Amino acid sequence: MARKLGFYGALAFFVYGLFFYWYLFYFADSSLPFEYEGSRADPASFLNDRELMLSEEYSKIRNLLFFISTPFEWIFYLFILLFGLSKAFKKWAEQTAPYKFLQTAIYLIWLSFFAFIATMPLSYISYSLSKTYNISTQSFSGWMKDELIDFWVNYGMMLLLVSVLYWLINKSRKRWWLYAWLLSVPFTLFMMFLQPVVIDPLYNDFYPLKNKELETKILDLASQAKIPAEHVFEVDMAEKTNALNAYVTGIGSNSRIVLWDTTLNKLTEDQILFIMAHEMAHYVEKHIYIGIGGYLLLSLLGLYLTAKLMEKAVDKWGRALKISTVNDIRSLPLFLMILSMLLFISSPLSNLVSRYQETRADRYAIEMTKDSKAAIETFQELTRAGLSQVNPPPLVKIFRYGHPTMLERISMLEEFEMEQRKKERDQTGD
């Protein structure tokens, strides 16, 4: 049975990878619909021939890496179970430490280490790809430092979560998923509060915006939107990337509006103000809190389904997977595999909600700034800096895009321009 599961798992992964290679490189069409040709959404109007070629090449390879990476995680956890490594990790932990918490810590360090080694080739390929196409400016040592920080931050959180999770499973085999979800609510809010001041500074340096004149204009926008902001933060990203970004993070008193220094260096003041108005829209329309609520609802359903699927998997394939009961720490790879699958399956829905919110934020920003020229040029520059496709293939958009495509964003702005001209004509006519 173990051999059969391994064979079919590997075969499914191979066929899946082959499908997406064919889809992205031979079938998918990212060309612009003819009605948009010559418009400001047409990449040929703001990218040169070399940039057009590079954006297509880079996007295809990057999208293929995305679609391969997630199921690779599933096949990794499956083989950890089938080869008896999860059983071995538990045995080593029990031989090394007398206390349950320490045994969990040792088991988890082995599992995390093997996962780190297994996924390192794909991570390095992604890093190397970004360097080759001049997206990343980060040195190898800097990249490895971030990878190691990731490892230990994830390990620390996993140790806490896994220890509590298996304590709950041992206490209540039927309702552990509900109790785990109830505890996840304050934990999620706490991590959102902690993220800007504890975790993010591990990776980059944050400081108040140096350009005080620009900060004053941004804070004026915030005042118009009734946002009680006192500072705008910039983060040193130029040593890592040429890409542009700005975002809102945190909740409560720890919420921040953050600008990458690459954005400050490459965009004009009007373009930055449009981006800031967009980020403020997320605060005004409470997208962060709506997102937290949606995440918690999905996590409730996800934990319930994970509990049911784990029970069925152990009943049917427990011997092959070398798992006797769900409450055994050896079942952790199965838990992580099922949860990852459910997250992947639900990503089209979460991306759809995110794209709706981002569209709302774009509309809010253009109505606040009234500067469609700066807005369109912002999206054109974002496309150039990230070598992104203006009109990505449908499956890429569904599974990868939490923002509207650049075609949709620029087209919306052009429609806004036409609406404004019509209003002006109507007023003049009156």
Side-chain angles (χ1 to χ4, degrees), residues 226-258:
K226 296 181 172 56
I227 298 173
E230 295 181 2
H231 297 289
V232 178
F233 290 84
E234 62 178 283
V235 56
D236 182 13
M237 290 296 294
E239 64 181 19
K240 293 185 177 183
T241 184
N242 283 319
L244 313 179
N245 197 17
Y247 58 91
V248 177
T249 186
I251 57 173
S253 60
N254 276 2
S255 59
R256 288 181 173 182
I257 298 174
V258 179

Side-chain angles (χ1 to χ4, degrees), residues 15-29:
V15 171
Y16 169 93
L18 204 60
F19 167 78
F20 273 102
Y21 176 79
W22 167 79
Y23 175 77
L24 293 169
F25 285 86
Y26 296 100
F27 179 78
D29 183 12

Side-chain angles (χ1 to χ4, degrees), residues 370-416:
K370 307 292 186 189
D371 192 345
S372 57
K373 180 176 181 293
I376 289 172
E377 288 173 350
T378 298
F379 291 139
Q380 290 174 340
E381 190 57 42
L382 285 169
T383 303
R384 179 181 292 106
L387 290 180
S388 54
Q389 291 172 310
V390 168
N391 186 36
L395 286 180
V396 174
K397 176 184 173 180
I398 290 169
F399 281 96
R400 290 210 67 190
Y401 275 56
H403 288 73
T405 67
M406 288 303 179
L407 173 61
E408 292 167 337
R409 302 182 91 170
I410 295 175
S411 298
M412 184 273 288
L413 292 170
E414 289 187 317
E415 288 172 9
F416 175 83

Side-chain angles (χ1 to χ4, degrees), residues 273-319:
L273 290 175
F274 171 78
I275 289 178
M276 287 293 91
H278 171 100
E279 297 305 329
M280 289 170 193
H282 292 305
Y283 180 94
V284 171
E285 301 205 354
K286 297 180 171 54
H287 290 163
I288 293 174
Y289 297 99
I290 293 170
I292 293 172
Y295 164 78
L296 291 174
L297 283 175
L298 278 177
S299 65
L300 175 61
L301 177 61
L303 283 170
Y304 171 76
L305 291 175
T306 300
K308 297 302 179 185
L309 291 171
M310 281 183 74
E311 290 286 355
K312 289 186 178 181
V314 170
D315 287 344
K316 190 170 183 178
W317 300 299
R319 187 174 177 183

